[in-house]
Amino acid sequence: MSTTQMLKGILDGCILAIIKNKEVYGYELTEKLESYGFHSFSEGTIYPLLMRMQKEELVTSTLKKSTAGPRRKYYSLTKKGEEELNKFKLQWDHLQTNVNRVLSNEVEEN
Amino acid sequence: MSTTQMLKGILDGCILAIIKNKEVYGYELTEKLESYGFHSFSEGTIYPLLMRMQKEELVTSTLKKSTAGPRRKYYSLTKKGEEELNKFKLQWDHLQTNVNRVLSNEVEEN
DNA sequence: TTCTATACCTTGCAATACAAGGTATTTTCT
DNA sequence: AGAAAATACCTTGTATTGCAAGGTATAGAA
């Protein structure tokens, strides 16, 4: 099993969290994710993902001049994006709890 | 983002962990996962997954009579399956660490 | 001018969770 | 005995998403 599969759906939430903290552009994200411990991501992953999130109105983008190279497309969170991030946090929390419960072989308590 | 996507690749590890603890049959798994807090899984998810894991020699299966209904196909872990489970635990640990780091906006320490 | 780094995007593929539908066995109910 | 219900397995087709590979364009440096 590759880490690739384990990231499905989780990367979305991580990127929302990063954008919330500070607006970023796509190219920057591929590097930024590394600073959080992830192996570096393909641009073929990042750009389509950002465009999808914009289509879903979770983020907005504005072009700004770069110091070196073409203009950067900076992304920031919409209100809907913040709500989505909060939803993700809850889901991630449940997932963590459940997986850890399975791995340590404990049954759910109520 | 649905939980469905967040499970990709993670379900494998969970099922390996459950099988290691005690041999189980497919139909039973769909119920067992609920007791760990997961919403119940489709059989269309479980059966292909078990067959794939058998093909990869992570598990073996034996048919046993049921008290009610057709014979059950019980799965148990191979040595390779145990190794895979250990790998999964490490990967899951890293994933947890990294995602939580992003969500709390901490940079990796070295 | 040419090279390099920056920055964006597209296409096609692989992996996997799931809905929907199908088959067979065993017990229970009428 | 026949019908119904629960148990148990499997298959097909679809949607989602991460990624490799390849493409385009801008700006500064050599």
Side-chain angles (χ1 to χ4, degrees):
Chain A
M1 176 60 47
S2 63
T3 350
T4 270
Q5 289 299 322
M6 291 178 49
L7 282 164
K8 299 230 179 203
I10 290 175
L11 190 51
D12 275 53
C14 291
I15 288 183
L16 286 175
I18 292 176
I19 295 178
K20 187 191 176 177
N21 186 54
K22 187 170 175 297
E23 64 171 15
V24 290
Y25 56 99
Y27 193 79
E28 189 184 9
L29 261 179
T30 63
E31 296 162 343
K32 203 142 196 163
L33 282 161
E34 255 177 300
S35 74
Y36 286 106
F38 291 103
H39 68 84
S40 96
F41 281 93
S42 163
E43 297 179 33
T45 301
I46 300 298
Y47 289 114
L49 191 156
L50 286 170
M51 287 186 289
R52 174 165 48 85
M53 294 204 303
Q54 181 159 34
K55 198 175 172 189
E56 288 169 4
E57 298 180 332
L58 304 177
V59 296
T60 53
S61 65
T62 52
L63 289 171
K64 294 188 187 178
K65 277 182 195 155
S66 164
T67 49
R71 286 180 301 172
R72 297 166 175 166
K73 194 184 265 183
Y74 281 89
Y75 289 90
S76 44
L77 278 200
T78 62
K79 186 153 273 175
K80 196 174 168 194
E82 292 206 35
E83 288 164 14
E84 190 65 19
L85 174 56
N86 288 332
K87 264 191 237 165
F88 169 76
K89 282 181 180 172
L90 287 177
Q91 288 178 343
W92 167 248
D93 215 58
H94 283 135
L95 182 66
Q96 261 191 115
T97 305
N98 293 341
V99 172
N100 289 331
R101 198 147 46 198
V102 171
L103 291 183
S104 62
N105 190 38
E106 295 159 13
V107 180
E108 187 180 17
E109 314 149 6
N110 278 319
Chain B
M1 179 56 48
S2 63
T3 350
T4 269
Q5 290 298 325
M6 293 178 48
L7 281 166
K8 296 223 180 208
I10 291 175
L11 189 52
D12 276 54
C14 291
I15 288 183
L16 285 176
I18 292 176
I19 295 178
K20 186 191 176 176
N21 185 54
K22 187 168 174 298
E23 64 170 16
V24 290
Y25 56 99
Y27 192 80
E28 188 184 10
L29 261 179
T30 62
E31 295 163 342
K32 202 142 198 164
L33 281 160
E34 256 178 300
S35 74
Y36 285 105
F38 292 103
H39 68 84
S40 93
F41 282 93
S42 163
E43 297 178 35
T45 301
I46 299 299
Y47 289 114
L49 191 156
L50 286 170
M51 287 186 288
R52 174 165 46 85
M53 295 204 302
Q54 182 159 34
K55 198 174 171 188
E56 289 168 5
E57 298 180 332
L58 304 176
V59 296
T60 53
S61 65
T62 51
L63 289 170
K64 295 188 187 177
K65 276 180 195 158
S66 165
T67 49
R71 287 179 300 169
R72 297 165 175 167
K73 195 184 266 184
Y74 280 89
Y75 289 90
S76 43
L77 278 201
T78 63
K79 186 152 272 176
K80 197 175 166 193
E82 291 206 35
E83 288 164 15
E84 190 65 18
L85 175 56
N86 288 332
K87 266 192 236 167
F88 169 76
K89 283 181 179 172
L90 287 178
Q91 289 179 343
W92 167 248
D93 215 57
H94 283 137
L95 183 66
Q96 260 190 118
T97 305
N98 292 342
V99 172
N100 289 330
R101 198 146 45 197
V102 171
L103 291 182
S104 62
N105 190 38
E106 295 159 14
V107 180
E108 187 180 17
E109 313 149 7
N110 278 319

